[in-house]
Each structure stands twice: as C-alpha cells, then as structure tokens.
Short mmCIF file of all heavy atoms in Angstrom, two decimals:
data_model
loop_
_atom_site.label_atom_id
_atom_site.label_comp_id
_atom_site.label_asym_id
_atom_site.label_seq_id
_atom_site.Cartn_x
_atom_site.Cartn_y
_atom_site.Cartn_z
N ASN Q 1 7.14 8.47 -3.02
CA ASN Q 1 5.76 8.30 -2.57
C ASN Q 1 4.80 9.22 -3.33
O ASN Q 1 3.72 8.78 -3.76
CB ASN Q 1 5.66 8.59 -1.07
CG ASN Q 1 6.26 7.46 -0.23
OD1 ASN Q 1 6.47 6.36 -0.72
ND2 ASN Q 1 6.53 7.74 1.02
N LEU Q 2 5.19 10.48 -3.50
CA LEU Q 2 4.34 11.38 -4.27
C LEU Q 2 4.28 10.95 -5.73
O LEU Q 2 3.21 11.02 -6.37
CB LEU Q 2 4.88 12.81 -4.17
CG LEU Q 2 4.76 13.49 -2.81
CD1 LEU Q 2 5.41 14.88 -2.86
CD2 LEU Q 2 3.31 13.59 -2.37
N GLY Q 3 5.40 10.50 -6.28
CA GLY Q 3 5.43 10.07 -7.67
C GLY Q 3 4.53 8.88 -7.93
O GLY Q 3 3.91 8.78 -9.00
N SER Q 4 4.45 7.96 -6.95
CA SER Q 4 3.58 6.80 -7.12
C SER Q 4 2.13 7.22 -7.23
O SER Q 4 1.37 6.69 -8.05
CB SER Q 4 3.77 5.84 -5.94
OG SER Q 4 5.09 5.35 -5.90
N PHE Q 5 1.72 8.19 -6.42
CA PHE Q 5 0.33 8.63 -6.46
C PHE Q 5 0.07 9.60 -7.62
O PHE Q 5 -1.08 9.71 -8.07
CB PHE Q 5 -0.04 9.28 -5.13
CG PHE Q 5 -0.21 8.30 -4.02
CD1 PHE Q 5 0.80 8.10 -3.09
CD2 PHE Q 5 -1.36 7.55 -3.89
CE1 PHE Q 5 0.65 7.19 -2.06
CE2 PHE Q 5 -1.52 6.63 -2.87
CZ PHE Q 5 -0.51 6.44 -1.95
N LEU Q 6 1.09 10.27 -8.11
CA LEU Q 6 0.92 11.11 -9.28
C LEU Q 6 0.63 10.28 -10.53
O LEU Q 6 0.16 10.82 -11.54
CB LEU Q 6 2.17 11.97 -9.52
CG LEU Q 6 2.34 13.17 -8.59
CD1 LEU Q 6 3.67 13.87 -8.87
CD2 LEU Q 6 1.18 14.15 -8.74
N SER Q 7 0.88 9.00 -10.45
CA SER Q 7 0.56 8.12 -11.57
C SER Q 7 -0.93 8.09 -11.85
O SER Q 7 -1.36 7.62 -12.92
CB SER Q 7 1.07 6.70 -11.29
OG SER Q 7 2.48 6.70 -11.09
N PHE Q 8 -1.73 8.57 -10.89
CA PHE Q 8 -3.18 8.66 -11.11
C PHE Q 8 -3.48 9.47 -12.37
O PHE Q 8 -4.45 9.22 -13.08
CB PHE Q 8 -3.88 9.32 -9.91
CG PHE Q 8 -3.76 8.53 -8.63
CD1 PHE Q 8 -3.95 9.16 -7.42
CD2 PHE Q 8 -3.46 7.18 -8.64
CE1 PHE Q 8 -3.86 8.46 -6.22
CE2 PHE Q 8 -3.36 6.46 -7.46
CZ PHE Q 8 -3.55 7.11 -6.25
N LEU Q 9 -2.64 10.49 -12.60
CA LEU Q 9 -2.88 11.37 -13.74
C LEU Q 9 -2.72 10.64 -15.07
O LEU Q 9 -3.28 11.06 -16.08
CB LEU Q 9 -1.92 12.55 -13.69
CG LEU Q 9 -1.98 13.43 -12.43
CD1 LEU Q 9 -0.90 14.51 -12.47
CD2 LEU Q 9 -3.37 14.06 -12.30
N PHE Q 10 -1.95 9.55 -15.06
CA PHE Q 10 -1.70 8.82 -16.30
C PHE Q 10 -2.49 7.52 -16.39
O PHE Q 10 -2.43 6.83 -17.40
CB PHE Q 10 -0.20 8.50 -16.42
CG PHE Q 10 0.67 9.71 -16.30
CD1 PHE Q 10 1.40 9.95 -15.13
CD2 PHE Q 10 0.78 10.62 -17.34
CE1 PHE Q 10 2.21 11.06 -15.01
CE2 PHE Q 10 1.59 11.74 -17.23
CZ PHE Q 10 2.30 11.96 -16.06
N LEU Q 11 -3.20 7.16 -15.31
CA LEU Q 11 -3.98 5.93 -15.30
C LEU Q 11 -5.43 6.23 -14.93
O LEU Q 11 -5.99 5.65 -14.01
CB LEU Q 11 -3.38 4.91 -14.31
CG LEU Q 11 -1.96 4.43 -14.61
CD1 LEU Q 11 -1.42 3.58 -13.47
CD2 LEU Q 11 -1.93 3.64 -15.91
N LYS Q 12 -6.03 7.16 -15.61
CA LYS Q 12 -7.39 7.57 -15.27
C LYS Q 12 -8.40 6.45 -15.46
O LYS Q 12 -9.41 6.38 -14.75
CB LYS Q 12 -7.78 8.77 -16.13
CG LYS Q 12 -6.93 10.01 -15.85
CD LYS Q 12 -7.34 11.17 -16.73
CE LYS Q 12 -6.49 12.40 -16.44
NZ LYS Q 12 -6.85 13.55 -17.30
N ASP Q 13 -8.14 5.57 -16.42
CA ASP Q 13 -9.07 4.48 -16.66
C ASP Q 13 -8.81 3.28 -15.75
O ASP Q 13 -9.55 2.31 -15.76
CB ASP Q 13 -9.01 4.02 -18.13
CG ASP Q 13 -7.59 3.66 -18.53
OD1 ASP Q 13 -6.64 4.15 -17.88
OD2 ASP Q 13 -7.43 2.87 -19.49
N ARG Q 14 -7.72 3.34 -14.96
CA ARG Q 14 -7.39 2.25 -14.02
C ARG Q 14 -7.08 2.87 -12.66
O ARG Q 14 -6.02 2.66 -12.10
CB ARG Q 14 -6.21 1.44 -14.54
CG ARG Q 14 -6.51 0.65 -15.82
CD ARG Q 14 -5.28 -0.11 -16.29
NE ARG Q 14 -4.23 0.80 -16.75
CZ ARG Q 14 -2.99 0.40 -17.04
NH1 ARG Q 14 -2.65 -0.87 -16.88
NH2 ARG Q 14 -2.11 1.28 -17.48
N PHE Q 15 -8.04 3.61 -12.16
CA PHE Q 15 -7.84 4.37 -10.93
C PHE Q 15 -7.57 3.46 -9.74
O PHE Q 15 -6.66 3.72 -8.93
CB PHE Q 15 -9.08 5.23 -10.66
CG PHE Q 15 -8.91 6.18 -9.51
CD1 PHE Q 15 -8.14 7.33 -9.63
CD2 PHE Q 15 -9.51 5.91 -8.29
CE1 PHE Q 15 -7.98 8.20 -8.57
CE2 PHE Q 15 -9.35 6.77 -7.23
CZ PHE Q 15 -8.59 7.91 -7.37
N LEU Q 16 -8.33 2.37 -9.60
CA LEU Q 16 -8.15 1.46 -8.47
C LEU Q 16 -6.79 0.79 -8.52
O LEU Q 16 -6.11 0.66 -7.49
CB LEU Q 16 -9.26 0.40 -8.48
CG LEU Q 16 -9.21 -0.63 -7.34
CD1 LEU Q 16 -9.31 0.07 -5.99
CD2 LEU Q 16 -10.32 -1.67 -7.50
N GLU Q 17 -6.36 0.41 -9.71
CA GLU Q 17 -5.03 -0.21 -9.86
C GLU Q 17 -3.94 0.78 -9.47
O GLU Q 17 -2.95 0.41 -8.82
CB GLU Q 17 -4.83 -0.67 -11.31
CG GLU Q 17 -3.47 -1.29 -11.57
CD GLU Q 17 -3.29 -1.69 -13.02
OE1 GLU Q 17 -4.28 -1.65 -13.78
OE2 GLU Q 17 -2.15 -2.02 -13.40
N ALA Q 18 -4.11 2.03 -9.84
CA ALA Q 18 -3.11 3.05 -9.51
C ALA Q 18 -3.03 3.26 -7.99
O ALA Q 18 -1.94 3.45 -7.44
CB ALA Q 18 -3.46 4.37 -10.19
N ILE Q 19 -4.19 3.23 -7.32
CA ILE Q 19 -4.19 3.38 -5.86
C ILE Q 19 -3.45 2.23 -5.20
O ILE Q 19 -2.62 2.42 -4.30
CB ILE Q 19 -5.64 3.47 -5.33
CG1 ILE Q 19 -6.30 4.76 -5.78
CG2 ILE Q 19 -5.64 3.37 -3.80
CD1 ILE Q 19 -7.73 4.90 -5.33
N ILE Q 20 -3.73 1.01 -5.64
CA ILE Q 20 -3.08 -0.17 -5.06
C ILE Q 20 -1.57 -0.12 -5.26
O ILE Q 20 -0.78 -0.37 -4.34
CB ILE Q 20 -3.67 -1.46 -5.66
CG1 ILE Q 20 -5.14 -1.60 -5.27
CG2 ILE Q 20 -2.88 -2.68 -5.19
CD1 ILE Q 20 -5.84 -2.78 -5.91
N ILE Q 21 -1.17 0.23 -6.49
CA ILE Q 21 0.27 0.31 -6.79
C ILE Q 21 0.92 1.42 -5.95
O ILE Q 21 2.03 1.25 -5.42
CB ILE Q 21 0.49 0.57 -8.28
CG1 ILE Q 21 0.03 -0.65 -9.10
CG2 ILE Q 21 1.96 0.87 -8.57
CD1 ILE Q 21 0.12 -0.45 -10.60
N GLY Q 22 0.23 2.57 -5.81
CA GLY Q 22 0.78 3.68 -5.03
C GLY Q 22 0.97 3.31 -3.57
O GLY Q 22 2.01 3.58 -2.98
N VAL Q 23 -0.03 2.66 -2.98
CA VAL Q 23 0.07 2.24 -1.58
C VAL Q 23 1.16 1.18 -1.42
O VAL Q 23 1.94 1.21 -0.45
CB VAL Q 23 -1.29 1.70 -1.08
CG1 VAL Q 23 -1.14 1.08 0.30
CG2 VAL Q 23 -2.32 2.81 -1.06
N ALA Q 24 1.22 0.24 -2.36
CA ALA Q 24 2.22 -0.83 -2.29
C ALA Q 24 3.64 -0.26 -2.30
O ALA Q 24 4.47 -0.62 -1.46
CB ALA Q 24 2.03 -1.80 -3.45
N TYR Q 25 3.91 0.64 -3.24
CA TYR Q 25 5.25 1.20 -3.31
C TYR Q 25 5.54 2.13 -2.15
O TYR Q 25 6.71 2.28 -1.75
CB TYR Q 25 5.46 1.92 -4.64
CG TYR Q 25 5.89 1.00 -5.75
CD1 TYR Q 25 5.01 0.63 -6.76
CD2 TYR Q 25 7.19 0.48 -5.78
CE1 TYR Q 25 5.41 -0.24 -7.78
CE2 TYR Q 25 7.59 -0.39 -6.78
CZ TYR Q 25 6.70 -0.74 -7.78
OH TYR Q 25 7.09 -1.60 -8.77
N SER Q 26 4.52 2.76 -1.59
CA SER Q 26 4.74 3.60 -0.41
C SER Q 26 5.19 2.75 0.77
O SER Q 26 6.08 3.16 1.53
CB SER Q 26 3.46 4.35 -0.05
OG SER Q 26 3.12 5.28 -1.06
N ILE Q 27 4.61 1.57 0.93
CA ILE Q 27 5.03 0.65 2.00
C ILE Q 27 6.47 0.21 1.79
O ILE Q 27 7.28 0.20 2.73
CB ILE Q 27 4.08 -0.55 2.07
CG1 ILE Q 27 2.68 -0.10 2.50
CG2 ILE Q 27 4.62 -1.60 3.04
CD1 ILE Q 27 1.65 -1.21 2.49
N LEU Q 28 6.80 -0.14 0.54
CA LEU Q 28 8.17 -0.58 0.25
C LEU Q 28 9.17 0.55 0.50
O LEU Q 28 10.22 0.34 1.13
CB LEU Q 28 8.26 -1.04 -1.21
CG LEU Q 28 7.46 -2.28 -1.59
CD1 LEU Q 28 7.60 -2.56 -3.08
CD2 LEU Q 28 7.92 -3.49 -0.79
N ASN Q 29 8.85 1.75 0.02
CA ASN Q 29 9.77 2.87 0.18
C ASN Q 29 9.94 3.26 1.64
O ASN Q 29 11.06 3.57 2.09
CB ASN Q 29 9.25 4.08 -0.61
CG ASN Q 29 9.19 3.81 -2.10
OD1 ASN Q 29 9.97 3.03 -2.64
ND2 ASN Q 29 8.25 4.45 -2.79
N THR Q 30 8.84 3.24 2.40
CA THR Q 30 8.92 3.63 3.80
C THR Q 30 9.71 2.61 4.62
O THR Q 30 10.49 2.98 5.51
CB THR Q 30 7.51 3.78 4.39
OG1 THR Q 30 6.77 4.73 3.61
CG2 THR Q 30 7.56 4.27 5.83
N SER Q 31 9.52 1.33 4.34
CA SER Q 31 10.28 0.30 5.07
C SER Q 31 11.77 0.43 4.79
O SER Q 31 12.61 0.26 5.69
CB SER Q 31 9.78 -1.09 4.70
OG SER Q 31 9.95 -1.35 3.32
N ASN Q 32 12.14 0.74 3.55
CA ASN Q 32 13.55 0.97 3.22
C ASN Q 32 14.09 2.21 3.92
O ASN Q 32 15.26 2.25 4.31
CB ASN Q 32 13.73 1.10 1.71
CG ASN Q 32 13.57 -0.21 0.98
OD1 ASN Q 32 13.78 -1.28 1.55
ND2 ASN Q 32 13.18 -0.15 -0.29
N TYR Q 33 13.23 3.21 4.07
CA TYR Q 33 13.64 4.43 4.78
C TYR Q 33 13.93 4.15 6.25
O TYR Q 33 14.91 4.66 6.81
CB TYR Q 33 12.55 5.49 4.64
CG TYR Q 33 12.88 6.81 5.30
CD1 TYR Q 33 13.72 7.72 4.67
CD2 TYR Q 33 12.35 7.14 6.54
CE1 TYR Q 33 14.03 8.94 5.26
CE2 TYR Q 33 12.64 8.35 7.15
CZ TYR Q 33 13.48 9.24 6.50
OH TYR Q 33 13.79 10.44 7.11
N PHE Q 34 13.09 3.33 6.87
CA PHE Q 34 13.33 2.97 8.27
C PHE Q 34 14.63 2.18 8.42
O PHE Q 34 15.35 2.33 9.41
CB PHE Q 34 12.16 2.15 8.81
CG PHE Q 34 10.93 2.98 9.09
CD1 PHE Q 34 9.66 2.43 8.97
CD2 PHE Q 34 11.04 4.30 9.48
CE1 PHE Q 34 8.53 3.19 9.23
CE2 PHE Q 34 9.92 5.07 9.75
CZ PHE Q 34 8.66 4.51 9.62
N TYR Q 35 14.92 1.33 7.44
CA TYR Q 35 16.19 0.60 7.45
C TYR Q 35 17.36 1.58 7.40
O TYR Q 35 18.33 1.45 8.16
CB TYR Q 35 16.23 -0.36 6.25
CG TYR Q 35 17.55 -1.07 6.05
CD1 TYR Q 35 17.87 -2.19 6.81
CD2 TYR Q 35 18.46 -0.63 5.09
CE1 TYR Q 35 19.08 -2.86 6.62
CE2 TYR Q 35 19.67 -1.28 4.90
CZ TYR Q 35 19.96 -2.39 5.66
OH TYR Q 35 21.15 -3.05 5.47
N PHE Q 36 17.26 2.56 6.53
CA PHE Q 36 18.31 3.57 6.40
C PHE Q 36 18.48 4.36 7.69
O PHE Q 36 19.60 4.53 8.19
CB PHE Q 36 17.99 4.51 5.24
CG PHE Q 36 18.93 5.68 5.10
CD1 PHE Q 36 20.07 5.58 4.31
CD2 PHE Q 36 18.68 6.87 5.77
CE1 PHE Q 36 20.94 6.65 4.19
CE2 PHE Q 36 19.55 7.94 5.65
CZ PHE Q 36 20.68 7.83 4.86
N THR Q 37 17.38 4.87 8.24
CA THR Q 37 17.48 5.72 9.43
C THR Q 37 17.98 4.94 10.64
O THR Q 37 18.63 5.51 11.52
CB THR Q 37 16.12 6.35 9.75
OG1 THR Q 37 15.10 5.34 9.83
CG2 THR Q 37 15.73 7.37 8.69
N SER Q 38 17.69 3.64 10.69
CA SER Q 38 18.19 2.82 11.79
C SER Q 38 19.71 2.78 11.77
O SER Q 38 20.37 3.04 12.79
CB SER Q 38 17.62 1.40 11.70
OG SER Q 38 16.21 1.40 11.83
N PHE Q 39 20.28 2.48 10.62
CA PHE Q 39 21.74 2.46 10.52
C PHE Q 39 22.32 3.87 10.56
O PHE Q 39 23.48 4.05 10.97
CB PHE Q 39 22.18 1.74 9.24
CG PHE Q 39 22.30 0.26 9.41
CD1 PHE Q 39 21.48 -0.61 8.72
CD2 PHE Q 39 23.25 -0.28 10.28
CE1 PHE Q 39 21.59 -1.98 8.89
CE2 PHE Q 39 23.37 -1.64 10.45
CZ PHE Q 39 22.54 -2.50 9.76
N TRP Q 40 21.55 4.87 10.16
CA TRP Q 40 22.01 6.24 10.26
C TRP Q 40 22.25 6.63 11.71
O TRP Q 40 23.25 7.28 12.02
CB TRP Q 40 20.99 7.18 9.61
CG TRP Q 40 21.41 8.61 9.53
CD1 TRP Q 40 22.17 9.19 8.56
CD2 TRP Q 40 21.10 9.66 10.47
NE1 TRP Q 40 22.35 10.54 8.83
CE2 TRP Q 40 21.71 10.84 9.99
CE3 TRP Q 40 20.37 9.69 11.65
CZ2 TRP Q 40 21.59 12.06 10.66
CZ3 TRP Q 40 20.26 10.90 12.33
CH2 TRP Q 40 20.87 12.06 11.84
N GLN Q 41 21.34 6.24 12.59
CA GLN Q 41 21.53 6.53 14.01
C GLN Q 41 22.75 5.79 14.57
O GLN Q 41 23.50 6.34 15.39
CB GLN Q 41 20.27 6.13 14.79
CG GLN Q 41 19.04 6.94 14.48
CD GLN Q 41 19.11 8.37 14.97
OE1 GLN Q 41 20.08 8.78 15.62
NE2 GLN Q 41 18.09 9.16 14.66
N ILE Q 42 22.95 4.55 14.13
CA ILE Q 42 24.12 3.79 14.58
C ILE Q 42 25.41 4.46 14.10
O ILE Q 42 26.38 4.60 14.86
CB ILE Q 42 24.05 2.34 14.08
CG1 ILE Q 42 22.79 1.64 14.60
CG2 ILE Q 42 25.29 1.57 14.50
CD1 ILE Q 42 22.72 1.53 16.11
N ALA Q 43 25.43 4.87 12.83
CA ALA Q 43 26.62 5.55 12.29
C ALA Q 43 26.88 6.85 13.05
O ALA Q 43 28.04 7.21 13.33
CB ALA Q 43 26.42 5.83 10.80
N ARG Q 44 25.82 7.57 13.38
CA ARG Q 44 25.97 8.82 14.14
C ARG Q 44 26.57 8.54 15.52
O ARG Q 44 27.43 9.28 16.01
CB ARG Q 44 24.61 9.49 14.29
CG ARG Q 44 24.65 10.90 14.81
CD ARG Q 44 23.32 11.59 14.59
NE ARG Q 44 22.28 11.05 15.44
CZ ARG Q 44 21.81 11.66 16.54
NH1 ARG Q 44 22.29 12.84 16.89
NH2 ARG Q 44 20.86 11.11 17.25
N GLY Q 45 26.13 7.43 16.14
CA GLY Q 45 26.68 7.06 17.44
C GLY Q 45 28.15 6.67 17.36
O GLY Q 45 28.97 7.08 18.20
N TYR Q 46 28.51 5.88 16.33
CA TYR Q 46 29.91 5.50 16.15
C TYR Q 46 30.78 6.73 15.93
O TYR Q 46 31.90 6.81 16.46
CB TYR Q 46 30.05 4.56 14.95
CG TYR Q 46 29.65 3.12 15.23
CD1 TYR Q 46 29.06 2.35 14.23
CD2 TYR Q 46 29.89 2.53 16.46
CE1 TYR Q 46 28.70 1.04 14.46
CE2 TYR Q 46 29.53 1.22 16.71
CZ TYR Q 46 28.94 0.47 15.71
OH TYR Q 46 28.59 -0.83 15.94
#
C-alpha cells in the first residue's frame, strides 16, 4: 500500500493517474488481506 502511493515520486507529471492506481491496488491488497485473515482465524481455531 505504501509502495503504491510512493509511485507519486516517479509519476510527477501524472499525479492523478498515480492516485487512481494507488487507491486501486490498495483495495486489491486489502481485500486479499481480509481473505488471508479469515482463513487465519479458522486455522487458529482448528
């Protein structure tokens, strides 16, 4: 998530595009994290 937004430093002339890409990948990464933690709790219970 931090790396996606750090891309701002390399896309100064496409700031809006960098923001959209950063938010998009943050949503993808966070949803995958919730998938992981859901099964992590199940594994802990087992």
